Amino acid sequence: MIHWLNQQLTVHCRPLCRLAWALLLGSWLALPALAAPVTLNLKDADINALVESMSVLTGKNFIVDPRVKGRVTIISSKPMDEKELYEVFLAVLAVHGFAAVPGDKAIKIVPAAGAKQENVPTIDPQSRVEADQIVTRVIQVQNVSAAQIVPILRPLIPPQGHLAAYTPTNVLIISDSAANVERIASIIGRIDLASNEEVEIVALRHASATEIVRVLTALEQGKGRADPAAGVGTPARMVADERTNSILLSGDKASRVRLRTLITHLDTPVDAGGNTQVVYLRYAKAKDLQAVLQGVSKSLSNEIARNAPMPSQPGAPPGGSSSSSGSLVDIQADESTNALVITAPPDLIRSLRSVIAQLDVRRAQVLVEAVIAEISAEKTAELGVQWVSYGNSLIGFTNLGTEATGLSNILGLAALANSDSDTSALGAAAGLSNATIPQGMQMAVGDFGGANPFGALISALAKDADTNVLSTPTIVTMDNEEAEIVVGQNVPFVTGSYTSGNTSGSNTNTNTFSNPFQTIQRDDVGIKLKVKPQINEGNAVKLEIEQEVSSLAPSANTATQGPTTNKRSIKTIVMVEDGQILVLGGLIDDQLTESSKKVPLLGDVPLLGNLFRYRDTTKLKRNLMVFLHPVILRDAAQGTLHTNDKYSYIRDQQFAARERGDYLLSDVKPPLLKPQEEVKAQGTILDLSSPFKPEPSPPPPPVVESTDFGFNNR
């Protein structure tokens, strides 16, 4: 009965009538037998009516977007069950640009352009969904780059679909109908294949891997430009491994076979004399590097001889021709161009060039600043009395003081007193000159005119001396190079002399004249700094230091025995961090000297004993310290930074001296270093300006206008 009604509904009714009959039958019979096959034929039916019919026939709930509008036509020739009806319904929606988005309670029917932004299901390869259902799938790409596949697959995705690559995990994200997603996944499976390229390692025995790669690369590039069709297929790639002198080949099999054949032909030995190469050095000295390379070449020759394969000819020496490679090595240094001329087999040349590249590097420099600080203070006090008394047959005196108040001065004082000399002569005899007396007083008292003359010289002297010396020698040298700076005087020291008197014979006319001479030796007196730095791994600097500070000391014996020098020197080896201040050594000296001279018995009498006593006290205190401050200059920027600091300091001192100066010649000024900006702009540190101001040129004579129109010149 129902089947007959369905046939009648299909044949005789209009689309809307048939939908009404279907709804009527469903509500009237209320049978679960709706699962029975239904033949669906619609012509120009409203899509919303189709949605209502599908809800009745399939038992699903639908939510229709207001933008879902249109008329549909469905032609079928055989009955369909519920599943087939729903698949046809999804296909109809896809044809008209709509999509069904399944939910928990209902299915939303929305325009397909916005369906990918809805809660569409995310499936995996094992999921089973309708072909026209909008789904999202994540596909893992194994062998190729996902980003490279996207431009290839983009034309296969409809505008309302979505295709993107996530590079960190190398996956593709696709949102479209399940059928199209499955088709895209099948295409990706055929593209995502492991490359059939293989990598071969071709070891060379005679030629240089870098040189052969350069030649073959140029050959392949020229071939590609001449014949564009030759680039079809996987291009071959070549990489040189200098450490093992091998070439790595990558590409299709035909390209690898062709390149391997070319490499075999190029890897042939040269003549017995070897080849010659000139290596220009940038930082190292060719003469110094020559000795090192000669020793290295012997070791490399022996190693190559041991590793060489055994010869095929019987009776040949082990190692073949490589056993004599040591005798074929010749290394010469050309000092004029600072280059090395190397004649050796190619394998030895490659090894030697590798050694040269590691030795010919820029060495760092070290700025060494030494600070010598010395503070000394000396105080001296003298107090005593000198006595002299004499008669006709008796003389008595005391001689307890220094040279200025010695016995000779006391006797001279008495002699001048007997001769009625004036007071100034007496003072001079007593050594009372202002030039020889320190801070203090000397006074002579007595009776030199009586029958028993006597006299006394009272001395009360004091002396203070303070010294504060600060020297900062600075020197820059390269790593492992000794440097020395000397600031001082070259002083002569007499080491011997010869003199003889004139002699003449009474019976001859020959006279022998003397030829006096002196032998002297000159030594530097001043500040000396000798340093040899060695930069260790990191920022530590090992320094071999010789520091000396010497000066001339005033002495009374200078004229007869030569000058006396004060010398302070340090010789040591220290380890200092970059920029650290380290004390090298020093001296803290505190001396107190007290002396007392007296007349026995008389000098021990209380109070009166001071008249027969002479006391002298000297206090000397010296503080001497030597500090060191090394700075590593690893590049030109650091050297420029420290140079600018010193340059600016000297220029500021010169400028201050110019401001303080008062000179008779107003046009002449003290020298002043140029600003650093002018040095960079002009490219020289010399002052190119004229020291004199140019005289201004005289003004041109005034022009007098003539009114005679030239008649006076006729």
Side-chain angles (χ1 to χ4, degrees), residues 412-713:
L413 180 64
L416 291 174
N418 283 335
S419 61
D420 297 332
S421 300
D422 57 2
T423 307
S424 62
L426 292 175
L432 300 180
S433 144
N434 292 333
T436 60
I437 299 178
Q439 298 177 359
M441 179 187 66
Q442 285 186 325
M443 181 176 61
V445 297
D447 182 11
F448 299 100
N452 296 310
F454 70 94
L457 182 64
I458 302 174
S459 300
L461 307 176
K463 182 177 70 173
D464 292 339
D466 294 329
T467 304
N468 189 352
V469 180
L470 179 65
S471 302
T472 57
T474 303
I475 192 170
V476 178
T477 181
M478 293 187 66
D479 183 24
N480 275 324
E481 294 292 341
E482 185 179 275
E484 181 179 8
I485 182 175
V486 177
V487 180
Q489 296 177 326
N490 192 259
V491 180
F493 292 88
V494 178
T495 59
S497 62
Y498 173 78
T499 59
S500 63
N502 295 337
T503 59
S504 61
S506 58
N507 298 327
T508 62
N509 295 326
T510 303
N511 295 332
T512 304
F513 298 96
S514 62
N515 186 17
F517 64 89
Q518 286 183 337
T519 58
I520 63 173
Q521 176 182 350
R522 291 186 174 271
D523 291 334
D524 293 328
V525 177
I527 299 175
K528 300 180 184 178
L529 176 62
K530 183 184 292 185
V531 60
K532 183 178 181 181
Q534 177 183 340
I535 302 176
N536 296 335
E537 187 70 23
N539 293 325
V541 184
K542 177 183 177 183
L543 293 169
E544 298 181 10
I545 295 289
E546 291 186 24
Q547 172 68 55
E548 179 180 323
V549 179
S550 57
S551 61
L552 293 175
S555 175
N557 299 325
T558 300
T560 58
Q561 298 179 0
T564 301
T565 58
N566 299 322
K567 183 177 180 181
R568 306 161 187 85
S569 64
I570 293 178
K571 183 177 181 180
T572 182
I573 301 176
V574 296
M575 183 74 71
V576 194
E577 292 294 326
D578 180 22
Q580 177 188 2
I581 299 178
L582 180 68
V583 58
L584 293 183
L587 171 67
I588 300 177
D589 188 11
D590 195 352
Q591 299 179 5
L592 177 62
T593 304
E594 295 182 347
S595 63
S596 177
K597 299 179 182 180
K598 64 182 178 178
V599 177
L601 299 180
L602 294 178
D604 296 331
V605 176
L607 297 179
L608 294 178
N610 292 326
L611 299 177
F612 302 94
R613 184 184 303 165
Y614 197 95
R615 289 174 293 177
D616 184 4
T617 302
T618 302
K619 173 72 172 180
L620 177 61
K621 186 173 183 180
R622 291 182 299 176
N623 293 326
L624 173 65
M625 288 293 169
V626 180
F627 301 92
L628 193 69
H629 179 229
V631 177
I632 301 177
L633 309 178
R634 298 190 180 275
D635 50 26
Q638 291 181 325
T640 302
L641 176 64
H642 289 277
T643 300
N644 292 343
D645 293 341
K646 305 296 183 184
Y647 190 91
S648 300
Y649 172 77
I650 293 297
R651 192 173 187 276
D652 293 342
Q653 296 297 320
Q654 290 180 335
F655 188 79
R658 173 177 286 190
E659 293 296 326
R660 294 192 305 266
D662 185 10
Y663 304 97
L664 297 178
L665 300 177
S666 58
D667 293 339
V668 178
K669 297 294 184 181
L672 182 65
L673 292 176
K674 294 167 55 176
Q676 299 183 33
E677 294 77 11
E678 294 185 9
V679 174
K680 295 179 180 178
Q682 299 178 4
T684 177
I685 200 171
L686 300 177
D687 190 0
L688 303 180
S689 61
S690 175
F692 301 99
K693 296 181 180 179
E695 297 182 359
S697 58
V703 178
V704 179
E705 296 183 357
S706 177
T707 58
D708 58 1
F709 301 98
F711 293 108
N712 295 332
N713 296 331

Side-chain angles (χ1 to χ4, degrees), residues 81 130 163 179 196 211 222 283 322 326 368 446 475:
D81 55 15
E130 290 77 4
L163 173 64
N196 58 355
E211 188 66 18
Y283 305 105
S322 298
V368 180
I475 192 170

Side-chain angles (χ1 to χ4, degrees), residues 225 250 560:
R225 289 192 296 265
S250 175
T560 58

Side-chain angles (χ1 to χ4, degrees), residues 201-213 239-248 263 267 345-351:
I201 299 177
V202 181
L204 304 182
R205 295 187 54 191
H206 306 286
S208 171
T210 305
E211 188 66 18
I212 288 185
V213 167
V239 178
D241 182 17
E242 296 184 3
R243 186 181 66 86
T244 59
N245 195 37
S246 303
I247 298 178
L248 281 70
I263 292 173
D267 186 26
D347 47 0
L348 278 179
I349 287 184
R350 289 191 301 270
S351 301

